[in-house]
């Protein structure tokens, strides 16, 4: 085990004394040490509940015979940082997160890692770290926020908030109307309820193979999210046992699958910032020309907010990311031979997936568009 470097033999007695200072028992030290990287804080709505998610992960690790050890990662809320100097600090946190997580994991020689992120730069930052560190790793996001509901019954979300401000300045909505959006647009913990960057990256983490099914779509307030976290904690022990590492999963084929799913879901354009950066850490090249090639042959199957009037909870109820991927396999658009954190191939994972709601996930032969949700333009 990696952790033998800090706990085994007379020469490591000083290190071991410090582990004893943590209150760890000999029995706990004899088990694999699993780092649980939690982005919990009290300023990001997508992260305000991650203390509970991380505790559920730890329970799963213990149930499967490991010793979980928590350490933090920072996170910025892009929505709160928007419109002022704070936005200059958002993207740089991605690399701060990657660097600090790499430092913690290698300095303390963890045998495996469970990443517990949720928001825009936090998810890609931890994926970058996972590729660098290359010990068995699984992701367990905090899940999406529920859609809001206005007093007149219409469902709403964060992007409608910005539209409400525009309507106010155009004299189409009064201040009382704006306040109704303020009070209802973001009704729960979790990453904002549309297919914005956070949910896009959590869904693509599934598509790459670094998370169990449901990572991107199970709503944050649901008890199913706690059960999911326990399963992720248990599954990391299987990955450690089988020595399945990010380098076995984060291959060129896996990234091409992720870009294909990106086009089908209609993900955030910010994925064009993050996927190449993550791939670079995994020694895979993704360039924008490849993106257009994939987009040209991939139909767009989903129109979640802000593109349409469906939300992440609807995608989850329709079968989630795997249901979208199952549709894509009907046109041979995915490499299903790739390894995933389930310990099985993507093809084996998708065997039982099905599209429950063709209004939310269009069938492959009846897409919203025949090409993908993103196109890369050149010129000036």
């Amino acid at each position: 085990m990696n952790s033998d470097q800090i706990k085994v033999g007379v020469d490591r007695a000083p290190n071991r004394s410090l582990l004893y200072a943590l209150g760890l028992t000999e029995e706990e030290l004899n088990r694999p040490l699993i780092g649980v990287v939690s982005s919990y804080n009290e300023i990001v709505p997508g992260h305000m509940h991650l203390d509970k998610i991380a505790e559920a992960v730890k329970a799963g690790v213990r149930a499967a015979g490991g010793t979980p050890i928590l350490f933090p990662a920072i996170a910025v809320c892009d929505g709160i940082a928007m419109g002022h100097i704070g936005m200059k600090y958002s993207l740089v946190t991605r690399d701060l997160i990657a660097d600090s997580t790499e430092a913690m994991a290698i300095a303390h020689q963890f045998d495996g890692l469970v990443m517990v992120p949720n928001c825009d730069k936090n998810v890609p930052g931890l994926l970058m770290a996972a590729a660098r560190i290359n010990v068995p790793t699984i992701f367990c996001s905090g899940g999406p926020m529920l859609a809001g509901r206005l007093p007149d019954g219409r469902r709403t979300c964060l992007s409608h908030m910005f539209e409400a401000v525009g309507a106010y300045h155009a004299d189409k909505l009064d201040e009382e109307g704006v306040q109704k959006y303020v009070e209802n647009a973001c009704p729960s913990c979790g990453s904002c309820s549309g297919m914005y960057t956070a949910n896009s990256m959590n869904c693509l983490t599934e598509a790459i193979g670094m998370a169990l099914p449901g990572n991107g779509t199970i709503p944050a307030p649901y008890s199913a999210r706690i059960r999911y976290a326990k399963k992720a904690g248990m599954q990391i022990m299987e990955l450690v046992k089988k020595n399945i590492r990010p380098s076995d999963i984060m291959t060129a084929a896996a990234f091409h699958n992720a870009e294909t799913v990106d086009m089908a879901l209609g993900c955030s354009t910010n994925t064009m910032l993050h996927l190449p950066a993550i791939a670079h850490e995994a020694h895979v090249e993704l360039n924008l020309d490849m993106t257009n090639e994939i987009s040209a042959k991939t139909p767009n199957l989903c129109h979640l907010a802000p593109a349409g009037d469906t939300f992440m909870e609807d995608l989850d109820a329709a079968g989630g990311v795997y249901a979208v991927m199952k549709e894509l396999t009907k046109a041979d658009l995915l490499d299903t031979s790739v390894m995933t954190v389930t310990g099985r191939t993507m093809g084996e994972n998708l065997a039982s997936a099905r599209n429950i709601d063709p209004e939310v996930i269009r069938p492959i032969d009846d897409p919203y568009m025949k090409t993908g949700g993103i196109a890369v333009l050149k010129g000036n």
Side-chain angles (χ1 to χ4, degrees), residues 37-38 89 129 185 237 244 260 337:
V37 188
S38 172
Y89 287 82
M237 299 308 298
I244 297 174
T260 302
S337 69

Side-chain angles (χ1 to χ4, degrees), residues 41-332:
N41 62 50
E42 295 182 341
I43 188 61
V44 183
H47 294 214
M48 61 188 282
H49 64 306
L50 293 189
D51 54 340
K52 297 177 180 63
I53 300 297
E55 285 301 318
V57 166
K58 290 165 66 178
V61 171
R62 290 192 187 98
T67 298
I69 299 177
L70 185 74
F71 66 90
I74 64 169
V76 162
C77 178
D78 274 30
I80 295 174
M82 199 173 293
H84 58 91
I85 195 172
M87 187 44 65
K88 293 182 181 291
Y89 287 82
S90 177
L91 182 55
V92 296
T93 64
R94 185 187 71 183
D95 295 84
L96 291 172
I97 291 160
D99 293 346
S100 58
T101 302
E102 175 192 2
M104 287 292 289
I106 294 179
H108 301 104
Q109 291 292 295
F110 290 108
D111 298 300
L113 296 168
V114 184
M115 306 295 198
V116 186
N118 216 26
C119 287
D120 293 29
K121 310 307 181 293
N122 192 249
V123 180
L126 289 177
L127 282 165
M128 291 165 66
R132 287 184 200 170
I133 301 161
N134 201 33
V135 299
T137 302
I138 193 169
F139 275 68
C140 174
S141 83
M145 183 182 290
L146 294 173
R149 192 171 293 275
L150 294 168
D152 62 9
R154 287 179 295 150
R155 292 204 295 173
T156 187
C157 60
L158 182 65
S159 54
H160 294 167
M161 225 22 280
F162 295 97
E163 294 170 14
V165 172
Y168 172 80
H169 287 297
D171 294 325
K172 295 181 179 179
L173 189 68
D174 60 19
E175 195 166 342
E176 183 181 352
V178 172
Q179 185 61 24
K180 288 178 181 177
Y181 279 95
V182 170
E183 293 172 1
N184 293 286
C186 300
S188 74
C189 62
S191 47
C192 299
S193 57
M195 189 55 81
Y196 311 115
T197 305
N199 291 327
S200 294
M201 292 309 304
N202 281 327
C203 288
L204 295 185
T205 303
E206 278 188 62
I208 291 170
M210 287 297 293
L212 299 174
N215 181 71
T217 59
I218 298 171
Y222 284 12
S223 297
R225 178 55 66 174
I226 298 294
R227 294 194 296 272
Y228 176 91
K230 291 177 181 177
K231 289 178 181 177
M234 289 186 273
Q235 185 59 24
I236 188 59
M237 299 308 298
E238 284 297 307
L239 297 177
V240 169
K241 180 181 178 181
K242 296 176 180 177
N243 196 29
I244 297 174
R245 298 169 180 256
S247 58
D248 300 313
I249 296 170
M250 299 170 75
T251 62
F255 282 104
H256 293 154
N257 282 349
E259 284 203 309
T260 302
V261 175
D262 188 340
M263 299 306 160
L265 283 171
C267 289
S268 164
T269 53
N270 279 341
T271 59
M272 296 298 98
L273 285 175
H274 299 316
L275 284 177
I278 299 161
H280 176 75
E281 300 293 350
H283 309 292
V284 172
E285 182 185 359
L286 284 187
N287 62 49
L288 296 182
D289 292 330
M290 292 180 191
T291 300
N292 274 350
E293 290 173 15
I294 291 171
S295 183
K297 63 183 181 182
T298 306
N300 176 230
L301 304 182
C302 299
H303 264 188
L304 286 92
D309 58 1
T310 53
F311 299 88
M312 294 304 297
E313 62 204 73
D314 303 316
L315 179 60
D316 187 62
V321 175
Y322 273 24
V324 175
M325 296 181 78
K326 189 63 173 279
E327 290 290 342
L328 294 171
T329 62
K330 295 175 183 178
D332 295 322

